[in-house]
Amino acid sequence: MTLLAAAAPAGTTSIADPMLWGVTIAGIIALLAFDLYLTRRPHEVSMREAVSWTVFYLALPMLFGVWLWMEYGGRSGLEYYTGYLVEKSLSVDNLFVFILILGAFAVPRELRQRVLMIGIIGALVLRGIFIAVGAQLISMFAITFLFFGLILLVTGAKLLKDALKGEDHAENDVDQMPTVRLVRRLWPVSTDYQGTRLLADKPAGGGRRALTPLGLTAVVVLLTDVVFAVDSVPAVYGITGDPYLVFVTNAFALLGLRALYFVLEGALGKLVHLNYGLSIILGFIGVKLVMHWAHGIWPVVPEVPILFSLAVIVGVLVVVTVTSLLAVRKQERERTPETARRP
């Protein structure tokens, strides 16, 4: 077998037939349409509303996984749950960036739902394209697994480097972000928000309609989605080679982001070690992909069992959550005067 040999058929087979694909896509579109209907009128999201929808969007994929397990067997169910856990972890990291962008552009709280919905729809479309391209590449070239693995190893190394420097999500000057500078160079931007409108009124003397600040924010979020897709799609292909499972894990992780944003907006700052954990997870999956590629050439190279992968991912997330909370508590104690701590 050469380095460019075709991948084994098992790497690209899917449990889904056209009917299941159609029903799944229709269901996701229906959920998106319902979310758009709920956000048609700008309003500030209450914690009760955000928690209710977060619970719904966590329960739905859990129940879907139970159905998958019963219908298609334990392996498919285990791959789905592991892939969903990876995607949900990455989506929480994505929320850091969304909070930075929405806060830096001073997006009114009642309009933030609309920007998040635009970002979610754009992310679903982009990831659908990436998943289809990835499946085609995997079916043609086994070396695609090596390529995906290297992407994750580089991404994990960058996350670790930023975390060690204390630079993860620390950039507050969005005007210096490459995406913002690119959009401003290509399109005029107005200074005032005009409700949910993405484009400002046409100038009286004619000419090009400018983006509103909300429109600029939406474009920046969409462009940022491209970067997220480059990381997340290879990560799930490191868990399962089934394009259907890759798609549904991405879709379910994204669908609940709108509500999760408002639940975790204040709490995300406490997950100070999250990037350490994500760097380990992405590095682990990168190594797993490289080993999968090498196993096809040199059978003596072992493959990583899916149950072991799930144990590693859960273990890492639990550890970084606990250490984050302990670190934040220690910082709070150090900032609190000794007299204030005495009963």
Side-chain angles (χ1 to χ4, degrees):
M1 181 182 294
T2 66
L3 297 184
L4 292 176
T12 55
T13 55
S14 177
I15 61 172
D17 56 17
M19 176 64 74
L20 181 57
W21 271 107
V23 170
T24 302
I25 292 173
I28 291 169
I29 292 174
L31 287 171
L32 286 173
F34 187 57
D35 264 0
L36 285 171
Y37 173 77
L38 290 175
T39 60
R40 72 194 187 283
R41 294 178 181 175
H43 67 281
E44 187 169 343
V45 180
S46 66
M47 182 57 68
R48 181 177 179 180
E49 177 185 351
V51 169
S52 298
W53 283 110
T54 297
V55 170
F56 171 77
Y57 277 118
L58 288 176
L60 185 62
M62 292 299 102
L63 293 174
F64 185 80
V66 171
W67 176 79
L68 274 178
W69 196 299
M70 296 176 62
E71 190 74 16
Y72 297 101
R75 180 174 179 83
S76 293
L78 195 59
E79 288 180 354
Y80 165 79
Y81 280 124
T82 306
Y84 174 73
L85 184 60
V86 170
E87 282 304 300
K88 204 63 181 177
S89 304
L90 291 172
S91 71
V92 170
D93 188 54
N94 296 351
L95 285 180
F96 275 111
V97 181
F98 288 155
I99 288 174
L100 169 66
I101 293 172
L102 296 179
F105 282 115
V107 179
R109 293 190 62 80
E110 64 271 16
L111 297 178
R112 294 188 177 188
Q113 288 196 96
R114 180 50 57 96
V115 177
L116 290 170
M117 283 306 304
I118 293 172
I120 290 169
I121 293 171
L124 278 171
V125 173
L126 285 169
R127 294 189 192 194
I129 295 171
F130 274 61
I131 290 166
V133 171
Q136 185 63 28
L137 289 174
I138 288 172
S139 68
M140 295 173 61
F141 307 109
I143 203 171
T144 302
F145 287 110
L146 175 62
F147 177 67
F148 281 177
L150 293 177
I151 288 177
L152 296 182
L153 287 171
V154 170
T155 303
K158 183 181 183 304
L159 280 175
L160 181 60
K161 180 181 177 182
D162 291 343
L164 290 172
K165 288 183 176 181
E167 296 177 354
D168 47 314
H169 311 298
E171 180 61 64
N172 291 312
D173 187 5
V174 292
D175 285 331
Q176 297 305 313
M177 291 176 62
T179 51
V180 176
R181 296 170 66 181
L182 175 63
V183 174
R184 288 188 183 278
R185 188 177 296 117
L186 297 177
W187 206 278
V189 180
S190 67
T191 57
D192 300 322
Y193 282 93
Q194 298 182 17
T196 59
R197 297 178 63 178
L198 303 180
L199 292 174
D201 293 327
K202 194 169 183 178
R208 208 172 184 188
R209 296 177 68 184
L211 286 171
T212 64
L214 187 70
L216 174 61
T217 307
V219 172
V220 171
V221 168
L222 286 172
L223 292 176
T224 306
D225 283 336
V226 177
V227 180
F228 293 158
V230 171
D231 296 339
S232 64
V233 172
V236 187
Y237 269 122
I239 302 299
T240 176
D242 187 333
Y244 176 76
L245 294 180
V246 174
F247 177 74
V248 291
T249 53
N250 269 270
F252 279 129
L254 289 169
L255 282 171
L257 276 188
R258 175 185 65 83
L260 190 62
Y261 171 92
F262 296 98
V263 173
L264 297 182
E265 188 177 13
L268 280 176
K270 296 182 182 294
L271 298 178
V272 293
H273 295 162
L274 179 62
N275 268 15
Y276 290 102
L278 291 178
S279 68
I280 294 172
I281 291 172
L282 292 179
F284 169 75
I285 298 174
V287 171
K288 183 176 184 293
L289 278 168
V290 173
M291 291 177 66
H292 177 75
W293 166 78
H295 179 78
I297 302 173
W298 304 289
V300 69
V301 177
E303 292 205 79
V304 180
I306 187 65
L307 194 59
F308 179 75
S309 299
L310 179 60
V312 169
I313 293 165
V314 171
V316 169
L317 291 175
V318 169
V319 169
V320 297
T321 299
V322 172
T323 58
S324 293
L325 296 177
L326 291 176
V328 170
R329 182 177 299 178
K330 181 180 178 181
Q331 291 173 1
E332 291 175 347
R333 286 178 178 175
E334 291 174 349
R335 288 195 297 263
T336 303
E338 181 67 26
T339 54
R341 294 200 297 265
R342 292 174 183 171

